[in-house]
Amino acid sequence: QLFWLVGGGGTGKSVAAAELLVRLLDKQNAAAWHFCKHTEPARSAPAVLLRSLAGMLCATVEGFADALNESAGVETEEVEDLFEALVAKPLQNVEAPRDADDALVLIIDALDELPRDALQPVLSLLANELKTLPPWIKIVVTSRDEAQIKARLSCFTPSELRVDEAR
């Protein structure tokens, strides 16, 4: 359910994520995406990130907007509660794609560029809450090879592709 692209600075992780997004959009398999940027920390606050993903899911997943309206009214900034109300619960209440092979993909690029106070809550979501999403939702994340990211994501045994290796 999680694919993790890791590499050093300037190795093309964001370019790879953008190319993947273009290809998924062509196939209508891109559900939502967020590109973190260290120069815009407010844009990558966990609540902003979740609201952004939920807004895109309304446009890309049939029935999501209606399911989201049913769980609307959450007045919290607690990341787990927002994730449950804005992403997990609505996704659980929409129909899976007709073709079992048609996974919908969420892309989060540059986890390492999240503000330090935002990184831990987002990593906790990925580590603890990913299992609450339907199996037809897949997540692609990119980051540099940072110890705290690696420690939190390693619980998934993610597929790891090092873009700076010869292969």
Side-chain angles (χ1 to χ4, degrees), residues 1 50 53 57 64 83-84 86-92 104 106 108 125-126 128-139:
Q1 201 166 12
L50 291 171
L53 293 176
L57 288 165
F64 185 88
F83 177 79
E84 173 70 19
L86 298 178
V87 179
K89 188 175 179 184
L91 281 173
Q92 293 161 358
L104 294 179
L106 305 175
I108 303 173
L125 280 180
L126 291 171
N128 302 325
E129 305 300 325
L130 185 60
K131 61 187 173 284
T132 66
L133 296 179
W136 46 269
I137 293 290
K138 308 296 182 195
I139 302 207

Side-chain angles (χ1 to χ4, degrees), residues 21 97 106 114 152:
L21 176 58
L106 305 175
L114 285 167
R152 291 308 302 252

Side-chain angles (χ1 to χ4, degrees), residues 71-153:
S71 67
V74 175
E75 299 287 332
T76 182
E77 292 299 310
E78 290 296 321
V79 177
E80 291 82 8
D81 294 339
L82 280 173
F83 177 79
E84 173 70 19
L86 298 178
V87 179
K89 188 175 179 184
L91 281 173
Q92 293 161 358
N93 291 318
V94 299
E95 285 188 39
R98 288 190 183 109
D99 187 345
D101 294 332
D102 277 345
L104 294 179
V105 181
L106 305 175
I107 299 172
I108 303 173
D109 177 61
L111 286 175
D112 55 287
E113 294 195 28
L114 285 167
R116 289 294 154 215
D117 60 333
L119 181 58
Q120 281 307 320
V122 171
L123 290 175
S124 288
L125 280 180
L126 291 171
N128 302 325
E129 305 300 325
L130 185 60
K131 61 187 173 284
T132 66
L133 296 179
W136 46 269
I137 293 290
K138 308 296 182 195
I139 302 207
V140 173
V141 297
T142 71
S143 76
R144 292 183 184 193
D145 189 4
E146 292 188 358
Q148 67 184 43
I149 296 173
K150 196 169 194 167
R152 291 308 302 252
L153 295 185

Side-chain angles (χ1 to χ4, degrees), residues 21-95:
L21 176 58
V22 168
R23 291 178 186 204
L24 290 171
L25 285 169
D26 283 346
K27 294 172 46 181
Q28 297 183 332
N29 287 88
W33 54 92
H34 190 86
F35 286 71
C36 303
K37 195 169 183 178
H38 73 280
T39 58
E40 299 178 34
R43 194 179 88 177
S44 293
V48 173
L49 187 150
L50 291 171
R51 287 184 179 104
S52 172
L53 293 176
M56 282 184 229
L57 288 165
C58 286
T60 59
V61 177
E62 190 174 329
F64 185 88
D66 292 334
L68 179 61
N69 284 336
E70 290 177 20
S71 67
V74 175
E75 299 287 332
T76 182
E77 292 299 310
E78 290 296 321
V79 177
E80 291 82 8
D81 294 339
L82 280 173
F83 177 79
E84 173 70 19
L86 298 178
V87 179
K89 188 175 179 184
L91 281 173
Q92 293 161 358
N93 291 318
V94 299
E95 285 188 39

